C-alpha cells in the first residue's frame, strides 16, 4: 500500500496532532470513552478522532468502534470535518458526523477552543450478531459533550436561569444565585452564547455495512431488500451480488440508476473510453507492460496489441462509446452482459452515493469509480494486483483524481451532491421508461 500512502491516496487528508495541549485533551477524551490513553506525542486523526498510530499502539483497530456498531468519536478541532473516516463499518457514519459538525460548527468551534468533545453515535444495537440485527438500526443519535461536561453544565445553568426569570422571589434566593454564578464560571454567558448541540438525530433507512461480508440494506422502497455477497438468513428479500438480473430489476423499478449514455451533464463518450482504458490496463499489466504515465493513445496501441484478450466488458463499452459518438447503432445490453453495470450511474436521489457504491462493486475493473465510491473494495482488490497495475492505478488516481476531486466527481456523476428530486417534480419520458427502456433519445 506504500504507493497509495506516498501519493496521499490512503491515510490522506488526516489531521496532524502534535501539540502537547491537544495530545493531553485527546488523552482525557480517550480515557473517558475507552479507559485507555496513548503515549504518542505526534499522530494523525480522521473525522471521528480515530488514529492509525494510536490503534497500532493499543493493538486495537476498533478502539473507538467496539463491535463495529456504535462508533465513538473525539473532536479536537472543527477542521476534522474534511478528513476521511477510516475503516468505516457503515456507509452513513461519515455523512452523519459531517452533518453534525456543520450544524453545530460555531458551538463546536467554541468548545474545542478549550477542551476536547467526546461522543458516540448511538443506536439500539450493541452487537450485530445476526444479519437480522441490522434491521434494528433505524435511527442514529449523537450524544456529545466536552470531557469537563460543559454542554451538560450549560443545560443545567439554562434551567436555573429559567427558574430565576420565572420565580417571583428568585432575586432573594442566595443559593440559586450562587449556583448560577458557579456554573457560569465554567460555561460563560449561555444567554448570549448558548452552549447547545442540535441536529443530533439521523434516520438510517438505507445503508451499506461491512458486517457479514458486506451488506446493502434498502428500506425506502417498499418491502426491505438486502443485497449481499452470499445468501443471508434474513426476514426480508435477499439478493446476492451474483444475481445480476434481480439487482438490475430492483434498480430499474425504483429509478435508482440511469445509463451513462443517456445521462445529463456528463461527457458519456469520454467516461466510457476511460473505463475501456482501465480494462486494457488490466490485460496489459498481466503481460508486464509498463503503464505509468500511459496516454489515451498508448492505451489504444495496447488495446490493439492485446485485442484478442479483451473481455466482453470492453467490447460492450466500446459499442456504447461508438453510439455515444454517433458512429454506431444502439447496442442492446441487458443485465446478463458483463458490461451492463459499467454502463450505469446512480440517478439523483437521497441514495445516490449508496447506489454508486453498489455499482462500483459490480464493476470492479473501473478502478476510478471503485476508489471514489467503495474504498474498502478498492483496497481489497488493490492488494491482489500486479506491481504494474498498482503503479498505473496509483499514478492515474494521483494525476487525474486527487488533483481535482470535486471536478472529477462532477464529470462522472453530474448531479452528485445535489438535493433530492421532489416527488412532485415532472419527469420526462426517459425517466419514466427506466435505464434500458425501449425509447431512446434521438441523435
Amino acid at each position: 500500500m506504500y504507493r497509495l500512502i506516498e501519493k496521499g491516496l490512503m491515510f490522506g487528508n488526516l489531521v496532524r496532532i502534535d501539540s502537547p495541549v491537544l495530545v493531553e485533551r485527546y488523552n482525557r477524551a480517550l480515557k473517558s470513552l475507552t479507559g485507555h490513553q496513548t503515549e504518542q506525542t505526534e499522530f494523525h486523526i480522521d473525522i471521528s478522532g480515530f488514529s492509525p498510530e494510536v490503534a497500532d499502539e493499543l493493538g486495537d483497530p476498533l478502539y473507538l468502534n467496539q463491535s463495529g456498531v456504535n462508533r465513538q468519536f473525539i473532536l479536537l478541532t472543527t477542521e476534522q470535518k474534511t478528513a476521511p473516516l477510516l475503516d468505516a463499518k457503515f456507509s452513513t457514519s461519515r455523512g452523519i458526523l459531517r452533518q453534525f459538525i456543520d450544524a453545530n460548527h460555531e458551538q463546536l468551534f467554541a468548545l474545542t477552543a478549550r477542551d476536547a468533545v467526546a461522543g458516540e453515535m448511538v443506536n439500539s444495537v450493541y452487537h450485530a450478531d445476526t444479519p437480522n440485527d441490522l434491521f434494528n438500526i433505524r435511527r442514529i443519535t449523537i450524544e456529545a459533550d466536552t470531557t469537563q461536561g460543559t454542554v451538560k453544565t450549560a443545560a443545567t445553568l439554562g434551567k436555573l436561569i429559567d427558574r430565576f426569570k420565572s420565580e417571583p422571589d428568585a432575586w432573594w434566593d442566595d443559593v440559586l444565585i450562587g449556583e448560577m454564578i458557579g456554573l457560569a464560571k465554567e460555561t460563560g454567558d449561555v444567554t448570549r452564547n448558548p452552549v447547545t448541540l442540535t441536529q443530533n438525530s439521523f434516520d438510517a433507512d438505507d445503508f451499506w455495512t461491512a458486517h457479514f461480508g458486506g451488506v446493502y440494506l434498502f428500506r425506502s422502497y417498499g418491502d426491505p431488500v438486502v443485497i449481499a455477497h452470499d445468501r443471508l438468513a434474513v426476514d426480508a428479500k435477499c439478493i446476492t451480488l451474483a444475481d445480476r438480473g434481480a439487482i438490475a430489476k430492483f434498480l430499474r423499478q425504483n429509478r435508482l440508476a440511469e445509463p451513462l449514455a443517456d445521462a445529463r451533464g456528463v461527457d458519456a463518450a469520454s467516461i466510457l473510453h476511460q473505463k475501456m482504458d482501465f480494462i486494457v490496463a488490466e490485460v496489459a499489466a498481466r503481460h508486464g507492460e509498463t503503464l505509468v504515465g500511459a496516454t489515451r493513445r498508448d492505451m489504444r496501441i495496447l488495446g490493439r496489441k492485446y485485442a484478442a484478450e479483451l473481455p466482453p466488458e470492453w467490447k460492450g463499452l466500446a459499442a456504447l462509446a461508438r453510439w455515444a459518438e454517433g458512429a454506431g447503432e444502439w447496442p442492446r445490453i441487458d443485465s446478463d452482459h458483463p458490461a451492463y453495470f459499467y454502463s450505469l450511474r446512480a440517478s439523483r436521489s437521497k441514495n445516490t452515493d449508496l447506489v454508486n457504491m453498489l455499482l462500483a462493486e459490480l464493476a470492479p475493473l473501473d478502478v476510478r469509480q471503485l476508489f471514489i465510491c467503495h474504498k474498502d473494495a478498492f483496497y481489497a482488490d488493490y492488494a491482489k494486483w500486479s506491481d504494474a497495475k498498482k503503479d498505473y492505478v496509483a499514478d492515474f488516481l494521483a494525476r487525474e483524481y486527487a488533483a481535482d476531486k470535486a471536478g472529477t466527481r462532477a464529470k462522472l456523476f453530474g448531479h452528485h451532491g445535489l438535493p433530492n428530486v421532489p416527488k412532485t417534480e415532472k419527469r420526462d419520458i426517459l425517466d419514466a421508461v427506466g435505464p434500458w427502456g425501449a425509447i431512446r433519445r434521438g441523435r
Side-chain angles (χ1 to χ4, degrees):
M1 298 292 185
Y2 72 90
R3 297 174 182 84
L4 300 179
I5 297 173
E6 182 182 53
K7 295 180 181 294
L9 299 170
M10 190 175 189
F11 302 137
N13 207 33
L14 297 178
V15 178
R16 181 181 179 86
I17 304 300
D18 53 12
S19 159
V21 172
L22 292 182
V23 172
E24 192 273 332
R25 291 178 185 173
Y26 187 87
N27 264 329
R28 286 207 311 268
L30 186 61
K31 181 76 172 178
S32 69
L33 291 175
T34 69
H36 298 295
Q37 289 189 304
T38 177
E39 295 182 2
Q40 304 287 326
T41 57
E42 296 180 4
F43 51 90
H44 299 79
I45 58 174
D46 68 5
I47 188 174
S48 73
F50 170 83
S51 168
E53 296 97 330
V54 175
D56 185 62
E57 176 191 6
L58 298 177
D60 183 4
L62 294 176
Y63 74 93
L64 282 181
N65 194 18
Q66 294 301 312
S67 301
V69 177
N70 290 272
R71 179 176 282 275
Q72 297 171 305
F73 60 89
I74 299 172
L75 297 179
L76 297 179
T77 169
T78 52
E79 293 178 6
Q80 286 173 236
K81 70 178 184 179
T82 60
L85 178 64
L86 302 181
D87 195 24
K89 297 301 181 185
F90 288 87
S91 60
T92 53
S93 296
R94 185 184 183 277
I96 288 174
L97 276 173
R98 176 64 189 261
Q99 290 179 65
F100 174 72
I101 296 172
D102 282 339
N104 297 281
H105 189 273
E106 291 184 6
Q107 292 88 342
L108 290 171
F109 183 84
L111 290 171
T112 55
R114 296 190 297 175
D115 197 1
V117 172
E120 184 175 354
M121 301 170 64
V122 182
N123 65 66
S124 60
V125 174
Y126 298 121
H127 292 274
D129 296 322
T130 70
N132 272 325
D133 290 334
L134 299 175
F135 290 88
N136 294 323
I137 301 174
R138 292 185 173 275
R139 196 159 185 79
I140 308 298
T141 301
I142 291 186
E143 296 180 356
D145 203 341
T146 66
T147 61
Q148 297 175 352
T150 305
V151 175
K152 183 178 179 180
T153 301
T156 302
L157 177 56
K159 292 178 181 178
L160 294 180
I161 291 173
D162 290 340
R163 275 185 55 195
F164 182 79
K165 290 179 177 180
S166 60
E167 295 180 4
D169 297 328
W171 282 100
W172 294 275
D173 190 336
D174 292 337
V175 175
L176 175 60
I177 294 173
E179 192 173 356
M180 290 168 56
I181 293 172
L183 293 177
K185 290 179 180 179
E186 299 179 37
T187 67
D189 186 352
V190 297
T191 60
R192 293 186 179 182
N193 302 293
V195 186
T196 57
L197 299 175
T198 60
Q199 194 172 326
N200 57 0
S201 190
F202 303 85
D203 291 327
D205 293 326
D206 312 293
F207 56 81
W208 169 89
T209 175
H211 294 279
F212 310 107
V215 176
Y216 298 84
L217 174 58
F218 292 91
R219 286 183 291 203
S220 296
Y221 309 97
D223 295 332
V225 172
V226 167
I227 300 176
H229 285 268
D230 301 308
R231 185 78 54 189
L232 299 177
V234 292
D235 298 330
K237 181 178 181 181
C238 183
I239 304 172
T240 67
L241 289 175
D243 194 346
R244 298 167 60 87
I247 295 175
K249 182 179 179 181
F250 171 73
L251 295 176
R252 180 173 60 249
Q253 286 180 337
N254 295 291
R255 296 173 177 168
L256 291 175
E258 61 187 11
L260 272 169
D262 282 344
R264 303 164 183 80
V266 298
D267 183 350
S270 176
I271 295 173
L272 292 168
H273 278 296
Q274 186 60 70
K275 291 174 183 280
M276 292 160 59
D277 286 352
F278 291 143
I279 297 173
V280 171
E282 164 71 16
V283 175
R286 291 203 299 263
H287 290 274
E289 297 281 359
T290 300
L291 302 171
V292 174
T295 64
R296 176 64 51 82
R297 180 175 178 273
D298 295 329
M299 300 310 290
R300 284 199 301 269
I301 293 172
L302 289 171
R304 287 192 288 269
K305 182 176 180 180
Y306 298 108
E309 298 180 45
L310 293 177
E313 290 92 336
W314 186 93
K315 296 173 183 176
L317 292 175
L320 278 172
R322 286 193 294 271
W323 178 85
E325 295 170 328
E329 297 295 321
W330 173 256
R332 193 68 184 176
I333 296 177
D334 60 22
S335 60
D336 290 330
H337 196 292
Y340 179 75
F341 291 111
Y342 287 86
S343 69
L344 300 181
R345 73 169 186 177
S347 303
R348 185 171 63 173
S349 75
K350 69 176 184 178
N351 286 315
T352 295
D353 287 349
L354 184 61
V355 174
N356 274 329
M357 188 178 192
L358 172 62
L359 292 174
E361 192 165 3
L362 292 164
L365 293 178
D366 184 353
V367 293
R368 177 172 57 182
Q369 178 155 329
L370 193 65
F371 178 79
I372 294 173
C373 301
H374 201 329
K375 284 189 172 54
D376 284 62
F378 174 86
Y379 293 140
D381 285 359
Y382 178 93
K384 305 172 188 174
W385 294 341
S386 66
D387 285 340
K389 184 172 180 179
K390 288 178 180 177
D391 287 336
Y392 167 72
V393 172
D395 179 71
F396 176 88
L397 290 175
R399 285 186 295 107
E400 303 292 333
Y401 173 63
D404 183 14
K405 295 179 182 180
T408 301
R409 293 173 77 92
K411 289 177 183 177
L412 291 176
F413 309 122
H415 51 63
H416 187 86
L418 293 177
N420 301 344
V421 179
K423 292 183 179 180
T424 57
E425 183 171 312
K426 188 175 181 180
R427 298 174 180 270
D428 68 19
I429 190 65
L430 286 175
D431 293 321
V433 299
W436 295 111
I439 300 176
R440 296 286 151 193
R441 182 183 292 112
R443 294 196 63 81

